[in-house]
Amino acid sequence: MRDVYLIGIGQTKTTKNAGIRGRYLAADAIEQALESAGLERDRISMLVTGNMMSGMLTQQQQLGALIADVVGLRGIEAATVESACSSGAAAARWAFMGVAGGFHDAAIVCGIERMTHAGREDITAALATAADWELEGCKGESFISLNAKLMKLYMEAYGVTAADFAHFAITAHDNGYTNPNAFLQKQIDFDTYMNSRMLVDPVKLFDAPPVCDGAAAVILACEDVARAAARSGLPLIKVAGSAIGTDSLALAERVDQLQLSGVALSTKRAFAQAGVSKDDIDLFELHDAYTIITSLSLEAAGFAEKGRGVHFGKDGEIALDGKLPISTMGGLKSRGHPVGATGVYQLAETYMQLTGTAGANQVPGAEVALIQNIGGTGATVISHVLMAA
Amino acid sequence: MTDPRRIKPPMGPDNGWWWDMAAAGKLGIQRCAGCQTLRHPPTPMCGDCHSTQWDTVEASGAGTVCSYTVLTHPQFPGYQYPLIIILVDLAEGTRLTSQLVDCEPENVEFGLPVEMIIQEDPDGFKLPVFKPAGAA
């Protein structure tokens, strides 16, 4: 297996109903990534797109070949990978295998989602296909209701209240405020969080991520290509770990409702591959789709004891200058959650952190990062470990 | 009369101009500002020189049938059947998929000269379609 490096990134500002077509968003992100990598497009021989809902919401599939054509790469190997909200990182995992396995020297990963042009009912129904349709979706469960179920159980089991989750949302918005690509580029305080509209009790508006459109791209390459394209002054960023862990789609099928086994498996595999432990991690770009998922992820990934995840970071540990910064560019809450693109935004943002180019959001001295993208309520969990080489 | 439930195409900042031209009775073609190559449908980038700069020109509306198909089954609401879908080679050199009207299905053939007319749906949506050249 060859070493794989992340050598270029591109991101569009997450938007709402700008009427911009998906192919245009994707082309924008990919052009930025090629320019950022300083790579000629003829070095690229693979494109993997991550997307969840294009077929349902825009009547368009086969985004791999479509986007390859639009960006002047007609003919190369291209296909789409789907794993709900983790489609973006799944695409990165596939491209990683393509480069690590020696099939390709340089591959583009493009996460893309357009949803705000559709009606709320259509979006909700499309998102619900990430749950187990036979066991959950057809009963009327939505993604908000499934997370509400987890949050309610967590509060009951560990004797905590909704107020205990506030710091996750506040920190995400603090960071998103200074990220020019963020969708909700605004800060919130405790009262705003507590008084936000109740969606499905106990999940409030600021526990949940906003619906938005966006595309992000990263370029993965073998060592030869990475060294040739290296920019002076910027460290090479190695993809030291790349792993997927899975779990049942339906919550009902899990013996322990409050254990994200997919997170535990995926983290363990990525750490083993990278030869690191949790103590080596300088920042954790986690999948903060809902504040409850933040708590459960911190626990399952090993950063907090079971039942203590919700308290993690109350003393500032998760801030940019804390011991384990999370959601460093705003996370899903503030940067936004353009579903199939989210995992690629996370990788692009982490590249900025490790190359010292994150501007106002820079985590001081960040060298090793864990990035986690979750499909559904933990059914597909994809972890990457990026490291400044 | 065409049912108003025709599926509408996505229209955004990068391709809305084409539909604006159609609404004004014109058939547009995108032109690369880098190498002047004409292309259709509108895309962000030139497939030849990879320039993302472009402008537009108005087509004459004349073309020939490159390929065609007569649809009878299955039927979608909003369309009239039999529906003749044609691939037109425009005089300018680009191709587009469109519909042939004012023509019986047995009269469509490869190489048939056609000319563009604007069809207006009951809901006011305007769409460039084609009829046999010279037909009334």
Side-chain angles (χ1 to χ4, degrees):
Chain A
M1 195 172 92
R2 301 193 294 179
D3 285 345
V4 177
Y5 294 82
L6 199 169
I7 65 168
I9 64 163
Q11 311 170 66
T12 65
K13 179 173 169 60
T14 46
T15 56
K16 181 164 186 147
N17 208 10
I20 298 171
R21 295 184 301 161
R23 62 188 76 184
Y24 188 86
L25 288 175
D28 187 0
I30 288 173
E31 275 309 291
Q32 289 180 41
L34 284 166
E35 190 166 323
S36 139
L39 202 64
E40 291 300 322
R41 55 169 30 74
D42 61 9
R43 301 303 305 272
I44 304 289
S45 56
M46 181 192 207
L47 166 70
V48 191
T49 52
N51 173 268
M52 175 183 174
M53 298 180 290
S54 183
M56 290 179 272
L57 299 180
T58 66
Q59 287 73 46
Q60 185 66 64
Q61 295 284 44
Q62 290 210 79
L63 298 186
L66 176 72
I67 292 169
D69 191 17
V70 167
V71 299
L73 291 169
R74 185 188 290 191
I76 67 165
E77 173 171 343
T80 303
V81 181
E82 186 278 321
S83 60
C85 317
S86 64
S87 300
R93 167 70 178 154
W94 258 244
F96 172 89
M97 289 192 285
V99 176
F103 294 97
H104 296 278
D105 287 343
I108 294 178
V109 179
C110 180
I112 165 83
E113 202 75 59
R114 267 187 75 229
M115 50 205 291
T116 66
H117 63 287
R120 186 151 296 279
E121 293 77 12
D122 290 339
I123 298 172
T124 302
L127 288 170
T129 63
D132 187 318
W133 183 255
E134 289 184 24
L135 300 177
E136 296 173 330
C138 73
K139 309 282 171 56
E141 290 271 29
S142 71
F143 252 86
I144 303 174
S145 73
L146 290 168
N147 282 282
K149 199 178 262 179
L150 282 178
M151 190 169 170
K152 213 177 182 79
L153 187 62
Y154 190 98
M155 287 160 62
E156 173 70 21
Y158 303 124
V160 299
T161 67
D164 286 304
F165 294 86
H167 62 295
F168 294 136
I170 294 167
T171 301
H173 279 272
D174 276 347
N175 296 344
Y177 181 62
T178 43
N179 174 7
N181 288 319
F183 180 60
L184 297 178
Q185 223 180 319
K186 63 176 181 188
Q187 291 175 294
I188 60 166
D189 59 17
F190 180 76
D191 289 339
T192 310
Y193 168 81
M194 287 303 287
N195 297 328
S196 66
R197 188 157 55 91
M198 189 62 81
L199 300 176
V200 179
D201 189 30
V203 171
K204 297 180 297 304
L205 186 65
F206 281 109
D207 286 306
V211 166
C212 58
D213 310 320
V218 299
I219 295 175
L220 301 185
C222 66
E223 186 165 358
D224 288 349
V225 173
R227 292 208 182 280
R231 296 276 172 94
S232 63
L234 290 188
L236 281 179
I237 304 303
K238 185 176 172 183
V239 186
S242 174
I244 299 186
T246 55
D247 198 354
S248 70
L249 268 68
L251 291 178
E253 299 289 291
R254 298 180 194 167
V255 177
D256 182 349
Q257 299 278 295
L258 297 178
Q259 166 69 19
L260 294 181
S261 303
V263 168
L265 283 171
S266 161
T267 308
K268 189 176 153 198
R269 288 170 187 157
F271 279 2
Q273 200 180 327
V276 298
S277 74
K278 70 179 176 63
D279 299 327
D280 299 313
I281 301 301
D282 296 322
L283 69 93
F284 182 17
E285 202 56 58
L286 50 65
H287 190 88
D288 59 337
Y290 292 83
T291 50
I292 178 63
I293 296 296
T294 302
S295 309
L296 294 174
S297 293
L298 286 165
E299 294 171 18
F303 295 101
E305 295 293 318
K306 208 153 182 300
R308 299 295 302 167
V310 71
H311 303 296
F312 189 93
K314 281 183 175 162
D315 55 1
E317 273 175 301
I318 57 172
L320 293 176
D321 59 356
K323 191 161 155 268
L324 188 74
I326 67 170
S327 314
T328 66
M329 301 297 279
L332 279 67
K333 297 216 165 324
S334 174
R335 176 242 296 121
H337 184 26
V339 181
T342 293
V344 187
Y345 274 97
Q346 290 177 311
L347 289 168
E349 292 163 355
T350 307
Y351 173 89
M352 293 169 75
Q353 293 292 2
L354 300 183
T355 51
T357 55
N361 292 55
Q362 186 62 49
V363 171
E367 290 179 349
V368 184
L370 173 64
I371 304 100
Q372 209 156 71
N373 193 197
I374 301 181
T377 43
T380 312
V381 183
I382 301 155
S383 299
H384 283 95
V385 174
L386 293 187
M387 210 181 265
Chain B
M1 196 153 109
T2 310
D3 190 290
R5 287 174 295 174
R6 179 195 294 281
I7 300 165
K8 297 293 190 290
M11 294 172 225
D14 65 319
N15 74 333
W17 62 269
W18 195 87
W19 295 100
D20 290 341
M21 282 184 77
K26 298 170 184 169
L27 180 61
I29 306 178
Q30 194 176 28
R31 177 171 63 185
C32 174
C35 67
Q36 308 300 309
T37 303
L38 298 177
R39 66 180 190 260
H40 183 84
T43 54
M45 184 190 296
C46 174
D48 288 337
C49 75
H50 303 139
S51 167
T52 54
Q53 305 299 310
W54 49 267
D55 58 11
T56 66
V57 295
E58 184 184 347
S60 65
T64 53
V65 172
C66 161
S67 179
Y68 69 93
T69 182
V70 180
L71 281 71
T72 51
H73 177 84
Q75 301 193 349
F76 291 100
Y79 300 83
Q80 283 186 319
Y81 295 85
L83 176 66
I84 308 173
I85 297 297
I86 54 173
L87 188 58
V88 183
D89 277 328
L90 291 182
E92 288 77 10
T94 57
R95 274 185 185 154
L96 83 160
T97 302
S98 187
Q99 182 185 342
L100 186 65
V101 299
D102 298 339
C103 180
E104 294 304 319
E106 57 269 27
N107 294 336
V108 56
E109 57 186 13
F110 297 111
L112 179 74
V114 292
E115 61 187 55
M116 191 275 292
I117 57 169
I118 295 291
Q119 176 177 290
E120 185 170 346
D121 284 354
D123 63 355
F125 181 68
K126 289 185 181 173
L127 184 72
V129 298
F130 287 79
K131 64 178 178 105

